[in-house]
Amino acid sequence: MSNGLKQEDPVRLLLEKDAVTATLNRLFRCTDEGRWPEVEACFAPAVVLDMTSVAGGEPESTTPREITDGWKDSLGRLEAVHHQAGNYEVKVHGDAAEASCYGTASHFLPNSSGRNVRTFVGTYDFHLRKSRGGWRIDRFRFNLKYVDGNLNLEDGDRIRE
């Protein structure tokens, strides 16, 4: 290049973008399947977690263990969880990446009300860092658009088959 700036290798950028997306997909799938050590491995040692659009409060600095323990506790009460993500946008800058995507999270719990599902719809914003172990999430934000279904899913009498 004539301006003296080093141009990124386009093939490397595509591979890195794919690796970032794979990390995010692994986070969602492993969460749905309750594979908590694998969920934990998707995160950097220190994470800024922002779920304020759902729960209020402020973003918090936390650890992968604290995140997975919280999710294990709240999602473990459900019979099934399903995340669906898409429309990924990923920008890689050396060993840092920014990513965003659309996402839905459906929670299923058969209960006496017959209203067995609650669905969260929104977008996610992530920041990741690359280390020896691959891409790890160090900032996670969910931006709620709306919730549909049974907002009090866990309050009813659970139906066991």
Side-chain angles (χ1 to χ4, degrees):
M1 290 183 68
S2 61
N3 62 8
L5 296 176
K6 179 182 173 190
Q7 184 175 358
E8 286 280 354
D9 175 10
V11 173
R12 186 191 84 74
L13 282 176
L14 284 173
L15 292 172
E16 296 297 355
K17 286 181 178 184
D18 185 64
V20 166
T21 303
T23 297
L24 302 177
N25 285 335
R26 187 169 46 258
L27 171 73
F28 292 128
R29 290 197 57 156
C30 291
T31 298
D32 292 350
E33 296 166 7
R35 295 175 10 215
W36 303 115
E38 293 172 69
V39 171
E40 202 171 316
C42 292
F43 291 104
V47 182
V48 174
L49 181 66
D50 185 347
M51 297 293 287
T52 58
S53 68
V54 176
E58 296 294 325
E60 62 180 312
S61 295
T62 188
T63 67
R65 173 63 53 93
E66 291 171 331
I67 293 169
T68 56
D69 284 351
W71 290 355
K72 188 184 331 180
D73 180 52
S74 63
L75 299 177
R77 294 180 249 159
L78 304 170
E79 187 162 314
V81 177
H82 179 84
H83 286 85
Q84 193 69 46
N87 295 345
Y88 286 98
E89 290 187 3
V90 178
K91 295 177 185 168
V92 175
H93 310 281
D95 289 340
E98 297 170 4
S100 63
C101 65
Y102 287 4
T104 62
S106 295
H107 297 172
F108 176 74
L109 182 65
N111 63 76
S112 58
S113 75
R115 298 178 61 230
N116 304 326
V117 178
R118 171 181 59 214
T119 303
F120 296 86
V121 177
T123 62
Y124 292 89
D125 295 312
F126 301 95
H127 186 272
L128 301 89
R129 291 265 177 216
K130 188 174 183 183
S131 65
R132 289 181 190 252
W135 288 97
R136 302 289 178 255
I137 301 162
D138 62 3
R139 285 197 315 258
F140 175 113
R141 181 174 66 202
F142 179 65
N143 309 293
L144 180 67
K145 289 183 179 177
Y146 63 89
V147 183
D148 191 27
N150 186 350
L151 302 182
N152 302 306
L153 190 62
E154 291 93 342
D155 293 346
D157 293 327
R158 184 174 182 163
I159 297 174
R160 301 200 187 265
E161 296 181 16

